[in-house]
Each structure stands twice: as structure tokens, then as C-alpha cells.
Amino acid sequence: MRPATSPLPAPGPDPLRADARRNRERILTAAREVFAERGIDVPLTAVARRAGVGMATLHRRFPTKESLITAVFHEQFTACVAVIDAGLADPDPWRGFNTVLVEGFALLAADRGFSAAVTSAFPDAVGTGTERRRAFDGFATLTRSAQASGRLRPDFSPTDLGLLVAAVNGVTTLLPGDAAAVSRLVSYLIDALETRPDRGPDGRCGTTGR
Amino acid sequence: MRPATSPLPAPGPDPLRADARRNRERILTAAREVFAERGIDVPLTAVARRAGVGMATLHRRFPTKESLITAVFHEQFTACVAVIDAGLADPDPWRGFNTVLVEGFALLAADRGFSAAVTSAFPDAVGTGTERRRAFDGFATLTRSAQASGRLRPDFSPTDLGLLVAAVNGVTTLLPGDAAAVSRLVSYLIDALETRPDRGPDGRCGTTGR
């Protein structure tokens, strides 16, 4: 370990940068915990307090709240993109769509801060990163394929994803730790979104193919 | 205003009681606003501050947070009971069940504090008033009738009401002011809960009667 009193920047990895990196990690960890517990509407002072740093340090590492949110949820966003890619790779688009809802909502349910962050981005997606746009575009593509296959209701819009995310967030927030409740809601939503062959043009069973 | 040093209660309608009533109303109004804006998890200091009273006064009028919540949401609970009674009075129990979801959730969506209060009471209903128990019993009766009519899925449990309320609360909280989003979610949920005649024992259309 280098002595803290070292008067000059050392060649190679310098102590100030190491400090900055440590602070950044400490702030990210604190923000992840605070957002997961209390959502993303908490004041940043709560994050600074948990991290044990001053507001000046927090602002130096993360000039805006958005930049902090983006950094905190980078991993979860990446996992969401992977789930959507897996859905798109499924030769059965309705099964792929189901995978995205089941596995994507499991990721969301694990962290109420994350679903609040995603909802604030859908459907406007203002100032978002590449992952978020990719995720939404992938979901829109999968929606169209699942609709073309005849299994997903034609009146479902990809922007309804924000509505579904908000509904799951409500369960995560008001029934915390109840993973069974989340999967029960997701299963209801999937049932709601499947085309009903019994509701053809004349409203009777069997009037549309399956 | 009475001098704080007044040594004895006055005869007849005494000024202290009028003061107490005014404080009670002021606290109820403030609590309704604060709960609607921020949910019921807010500290009571926020309610006292909005009402312009001290914490001692607040505690004198409402010894527990539950007693304040019950008083604040008394009107909404009564309206919910009326909606459930209307549903029970409908000769078509599935239509009655639909009425309860559509109109009941409209009441909930109008106030995020109210749905949080209801969710904290379902399904445990700990320390609740008569309205709450009546509402839940009425909903359970309506559920059984709608299932007996063949239109409501037999695997729906009345305690799932808490799950649905939480989902609607998520939409009310994360997409505030978007009444269309709430009714879209409710319409999806109703579709999810309707028996699918195309899902008989062998999973094919037309295998169960309708």
C-alpha cells in the first residue's frame, strides 16, 4: 500500500485517481441500495449520506441525477437487453415474447428502483443510452413478430410495456418480497395478451384459426 | 384563540372542543393531500407541518397512524362498499364483477394513498373497520357467484384483489394523471380473468361450453 502522504503523483495509477475510483464505487453501491429500498425519487443527500461522502464529491463523480441512475442500472439494463435478444432468437415469437415478460419482469421485480428508472424512460426514452433504445427496438420487433404469428393480440402496442412495468412495480413496492405475487401478475398479463380464438369477428369460439 | 393558560374547561359548547374540531379537520385535510401526493409511508411530521399543528396536537387527535389513515379514507371506503353492493345487486354476476373492477379501480386510481391503504389491509385485514371487512366479504361472495356462472376463472382467489390493487397503484404512481393507462390495465386484467372456452381439458378451442 502506498503511504497517504506521498507528495507527488506516482507514475502509472495515481492515488487521486484511485480515490476517485473508490468514491465512485462507494457512491454506486450506496445509490443501488437506496434506490432499491426507496425508489429513485429519494434526494441525492440520502445517497451521499449512505456512501459517507459529501455532496461536492457526489456531484464531481455524477454531475446529474440521470448520470447516476444510468450508471447504477447499467448492469440490469444489460441483462434486460440479453433477455430481449434471447426472445428475438426464439424461432417461436410468442414463446420469445413470453420469455421476455417472465424473465424481464423477474429482473424488474428484484429492484423497485430499477423498474421506476425504466418507466421514467418508456415510452419517451429521453436522454437514454444505447441499451435502452436497443431494448425497446428489440421489444417492438418481437411484438410485431408475435402479432404476425397470430398469438399476440393485434391491439397490443409496444409502448404498453411502460404500463406493464408500472403494474409490476406496484406489486414490487406494495407487496415487497412476494415473488409469487409478481409471477402471478405476469401470468395474468400474458393471458390477457394472448389472442382469443373464441373472439372472432362474430364473438364466437372457433371463428379464427389458431 | 384561547389563552394557553386557561385553567378550567368552559361550560356548554366549549372553545377547546371547537378548537379540537378545527384541528381535527385541518389534520384530515392535510393528511388527505399528503397521502394522495406521496403515499401513506410519509412521516407524520409532514402531515403536522402541512396542517400547521404540532406533533402533540396531531397525536392527541389521532393516537396512532392507523387511526388517522382510517379517518382519512373513510369516504373512499364507503364509496367502495357502494360499488361492491352495486356489483352484488347485478343479476349477471360476471357483469357485476366487471363493475366492481372498473369503478372500484377508478376510485383507487384517483388517490395513490388510498390504494396503498387498501393494499396494506388486504388480505390480512388487521385492525380494520366494518367497511373494510364488508367490502372484502362482498367481493368474495361476488367472486364465487361469477365463478359459478362460468365466466370468471375458477383459479381466481378473492385475495388476489390485493395483487390487482397493487398493480393499479403502480400505474397510478409511475404514470400519474394517465387515467387511460389505468383503464387499459383494468381492461387487460378483466380479459385475463375471463374463462377461456378455448382452454378445455385438452387445451383446444370449443371443448368447454359457454
Side-chain angles (χ1 to χ4, degrees), chain B residues 10-94:
Chain B
D14 93 40
L16 231 190
R17 294 209 45 195
D19 258 14
R21 238 191 339 262
R22 258 199 305 278
N23 278 338
R24 191 177 188 281
E25 281 311 309
R26 205 177 284 162
I27 293 164
L28 281 176
T29 304
R32 200 168 285 130
E33 290 170 10
V34 171
F35 291 165
E37 287 163 20
R38 299 170 53 191
I40 55 173
D41 286 336
V42 292
L44 288 183
T45 48
V47 174
R49 205 178 311 127
R50 176 81 59 107
V53 304
M55 281 302 282
T57 303
L58 193 149
H59 278 129
R60 207 173 309 122
R61 294 304 138 224
F62 300 98
T64 62
K65 193 172 183 180
E66 284 71 36
S67 64
L68 177 59
I69 289 173
T70 303
V72 163
F73 295 119
H74 179 75
E75 254 176 68
Q76 280 107 314
F77 274 130
T78 307
C80 275
V81 171
V83 165
I84 290 172
D85 284 344
L88 283 165
D90 196 313
D92 175 346
W94 170 244

Side-chain angles (χ1 to χ4, degrees), chain B residues 142-178:
Chain B
L142 186 56
T143 295
R144 283 189 295 273
S145 308
Q147 284 170 331
S149 83
R151 297 291 296 279
L152 176 62
R153 290 162 65 137
D155 63 343
F156 177 78
S157 158
T159 57
D160 272 351
L161 185 57
L163 175 68
L164 306 188
V165 170
V168 171
N169 187 259
V171 174
T172 310
T173 305
L174 290 185
L175 306 171
D178 190 347

Side-chain angles (χ1 to χ4, degrees), chain A residues 45-115:
Chain A
T45 47
V47 174
R49 205 178 310 125
R50 176 80 60 105
V53 303
M55 281 302 282
T57 301
L58 193 149
H59 277 129
R60 207 172 309 122
R61 295 302 137 226
F62 299 98
T64 63
K65 192 172 185 181
E66 283 71 35
S67 64
L68 177 60
I69 290 173
T70 303
V72 163
F73 295 120
H74 178 75
E75 255 176 67
Q76 280 107 314
F77 273 132
T78 307
C80 274
V81 171
V83 165
I84 290 172
D85 284 344
L88 283 166
D90 196 314
D92 176 344
W94 170 245
R95 195 173 57 195
F97 185 87
N98 276 255
T99 301
V100 169
L101 292 199
V102 171
E103 297 184 10
F105 284 135
L107 288 170
L108 288 167
D111 186 335
R112 64 185 268 199
F114 180 47
S115 44

